[in-house]
């Protein structure tokens, strides 16, 4: 995966290999080599930390995917899709009821002249019954999702716990290496002379 920390570690490894080749070619130990050794030690420490943090990032992302994203996507696929479907159905049934009511009102103005008045009334009653069923189904799906509120909240809490562990582990890795790097600076004989 393209994790920036891991990519940084790979770039630094390559730089260390190139630097080792250059030292082998020159074959001499001089003041420049002493300066390079300090830099080499620091780069090796940074490489080690970046590689470890990169692996932590990969592990963290996999855990988030498995423990948070996939369960939430399943909830979205199952419950939200069903709710949206029921909502569309409720809207359509509502339109059918409105059409049946309009038809009934016009038939009601002259019931004697309309031989299908009883049939139109039955159609309206049937449409209203379907509307009640659609409302019940919609409400059931909404309440089913609300019943999973605790589950969704647990996934959210789990996400923050994963993030906390990841950040703490990454910080621990940096804190383990940083004092050693600072000590190398203090112990190094390489220091600027005349600002250079």
């Amino acid at each position: 995966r393209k994790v920036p920390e891991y990519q940084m570690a790979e770039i630094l490894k390559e730089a260390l290999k190139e630097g080792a080749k250059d030292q082998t070619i020159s074959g001499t130990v001089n003041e420049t080599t002493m300066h390079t050794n300090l830099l080499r030690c620091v780069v090796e420490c940074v490489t080690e930390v970046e590689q470890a943090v990169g692996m932590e990032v990969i592990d963290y992302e996999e855990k988030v995917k498995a423990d948070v994203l996939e369960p939430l996507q399943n909830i979205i696929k199952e419950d939200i899709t069903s709710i949206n479907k029921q909502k569309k159905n409720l809207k359509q049934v509502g339109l059918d009821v409105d059409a049946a009511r309009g038809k009934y009102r016009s038939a009601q103005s002259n019931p004697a002249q309309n031989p299908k008045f009883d049939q139109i009334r039955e159609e309206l009653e049937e449409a209203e019954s379907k509307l009640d069923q659609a409302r019940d189904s919609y409400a059931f799906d909404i309440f089913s999702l609300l019943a999973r509120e605790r589950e969704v909240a647990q996934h959210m809490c789990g996400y923050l716990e994963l993030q906390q562990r990841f950040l703490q582990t990454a910080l621990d890795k940096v804190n383990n290496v940083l004092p050693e790097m600072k000590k190398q600076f203090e112990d190094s004989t390489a220091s600027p002379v005349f600002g250079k």
Side-chain angles (χ1 to χ4, degrees):
R1 282 194 210 164
K2 293 185 178 181
V3 175
E5 293 83 359
Y6 200 83
Q7 287 179 327
M8 177 70 168
E10 292 300 312
I11 290 168
L12 292 174
K13 277 184 190 177
E14 283 299 314
L16 286 171
K17 285 180 187 175
E18 290 299 317
K21 286 180 188 175
D22 292 345
Q23 277 187 349
T24 305
I25 291 170
S26 67
T28 59
V29 176
N30 55 25
E31 196 173 312
T32 306
T33 308
M34 289 170 62
H35 288 291
T36 307
N37 286 339
L38 173 63
L39 181 59
R40 174 175 284 286
C41 289
V42 169
V43 171
E44 284 173 350
C45 287
V46 171
T47 302
E48 180 183 317
V49 169
E50 289 300 302
Q51 191 169 16
V53 170
M55 294 304 289
E56 285 298 321
V57 168
I58 291 169
D59 185 48
Y60 164 72
E61 288 176 353
E62 287 175 355
K63 285 180 181 174
V64 166
K65 183 180 178 185
D67 297 347
V68 179
L69 294 178
E70 288 176 359
L72 289 177
Q73 283 176 339
N74 288 339
I75 290 171
I76 289 169
K77 280 181 189 176
E78 295 167 9
D79 293 352
I80 303 296
T81 304
S82 180
I83 287 171
N84 287 335
K85 184 179 173 185
Q86 292 297 340
K87 187 176 181 179
K88 285 180 186 177
N89 184 43
L90 180 61
K91 187 176 181 180
Q92 182 59 48
V93 172
L95 293 173
D96 293 346
V97 168
D98 289 343
R101 279 188 185 143
K103 204 173 177 183
Y104 179 74
R105 282 188 195 120
S106 65
Q108 200 175 23
S109 61
N110 286 323
Q113 292 179 353
N114 197 338
K116 295 184 179 179
F117 179 74
D118 290 336
Q119 183 182 353
I120 293 171
R121 186 173 31 92
E122 287 175 8
E123 286 176 5
L124 175 60
E125 289 171 359
E126 187 179 320
E128 287 175 340
S129 175
K130 284 182 181 178
L131 181 63
D132 288 341
Q133 289 174 355
R135 283 182 184 147
D136 290 346
S137 295
Y138 183 60
F140 175 80
D141 283 352
I142 287 176
F143 287 125
S144 294
L145 178 60
L146 289 174
R148 297 180 84 176
E149 179 182 34
R150 186 174 185 84
E151 180 185 350
V152 172
Q154 283 177 327
H155 289 305
M156 295 283 95
C157 186
Y159 171 66
L160 290 180
E161 288 171 348
L162 286 171
Q163 195 170 42
Q164 180 188 31
R165 277 192 295 252
F166 160 68
L167 293 172
Q168 187 62 53
T169 303
L171 181 62
D172 290 345
K173 290 183 186 310
V174 171
N175 285 338
N176 288 339
V177 172
L178 201 53
E180 180 184 329
M181 286 176 61
K182 287 182 178 180
K183 186 176 182 327
Q184 288 174 351
F185 276 108
E186 292 168 7
D187 294 348
S188 174
T189 57
S191 60
V193 177
F194 303 110
K196 302 289 182 187

